[in-house]
Amino acid sequence: MRDAEEFDALYAACAGRVVGHVYALTGNRAEAEDAVAEAFMRAWQRWRTVRETDSPEAWVRRVASRIAVSSWRKAFNRVRAHRRAAVDQGVPGLNEDHVALLQALQRLSPNERRAVVLHHLNDLSVAEVAAEMQAPVGTVKTYLARGRRAMAGLLTDAHQEETSHG
């Protein structure tokens, strides 16, 4: 019974954050929810091992991210269509700034996007990002610097375009 209670507590504590993380990576809420559900299912199947890790939440987030990336590779065109549909349909609580941010994130390389999302949206330290990405701290700092620089340009361009048309 203790296993189920611990697992339920983990799920209650972090499922929303992990969905938000994968959503920021993919730009597609349905894909994010599916990847996170699959990751939690795998975590439950391996719960005795997962619960002993330094951070079960990081384990679930890493697995969900990998599932989502695998999905991208298998169905790139389908994901692009879903991403367009998600922006076109609108998501409750998603304003123009959120859409611009998600579009800018999508234009980063996968490693830059993952580093930016982990550091800036999940509030992980650079060292924690490096551990999760299994990359040297210097490499993560490079991803972050490039990602921030690219996003600053993209978001500035989007803002200038919006004010010139508005």
Side-chain angles (χ1 to χ4, degrees):
M1 195 60 154
R2 182 173 158 243
D3 286 345
E5 290 170 1
E6 286 178 351
F7 182 82
D8 289 348
L10 172 70
Y11 183 86
C14 72
R17 280 194 305 268
V18 177
V19 168
H21 166 79
V22 178
Y23 176 49
L25 290 175
T26 64
N28 184 299
R29 186 165 181 90
E31 291 277 337
E33 290 171 347
D34 288 349
V36 172
E38 175 70 20
F40 271 106
M41 184 186 72
R42 292 180 189 182
W44 176 245
Q45 290 170 340
R46 299 164 180 79
W47 182 241
R48 290 179 191 248
T49 303
V50 172
R51 73 195 276 202
E52 299 300 324
T53 64
D54 289 338
S55 173
E57 179 177 347
W59 188 95
V60 171
R61 187 172 48 239
R62 191 168 37 255
V63 169
S65 297
R66 287 179 182 158
I67 291 167
V69 168
S70 176
S71 175
W72 292 339
R73 290 182 180 135
K74 291 177 187 171
F76 181 75
N77 290 330
R78 180 177 54 85
V79 171
R80 266 187 24 204
H82 283 203
R83 194 178 311 134
R84 280 193 303 271
V87 171
D88 292 344
Q89 292 172 1
V91 175
L94 195 63
N95 64 31
E96 290 177 16
D97 291 340
H98 289 110
V99 171
L101 177 63
L102 288 171
Q103 288 175 338
L105 282 167
Q106 296 308 305
R107 298 193 52 196
L108 300 180
S109 76
N111 285 329
E112 291 167 354
R113 181 182 322 121
R114 187 168 180 213
V116 167
V117 168
L118 286 169
H119 185 66
H120 292 289
L121 299 181
N122 288 317
D123 294 322
L124 297 185
S125 70
V126 172
E128 290 169 326
V129 173
E132 184 149 335
M133 291 183 72
Q134 298 177 333
V137 168
T139 301
V140 169
K141 287 180 180 179
T142 300
Y143 292 150
L144 288 169
R146 288 179 184 161
R148 284 190 293 252
R149 188 169 42 250
M151 287 190 66
L154 293 166
L155 293 173
T156 300
D157 291 347
H159 177 71
Q160 288 172 346
E161 194 172 294
E162 181 180 300
T163 56
S164 69
H165 287 81

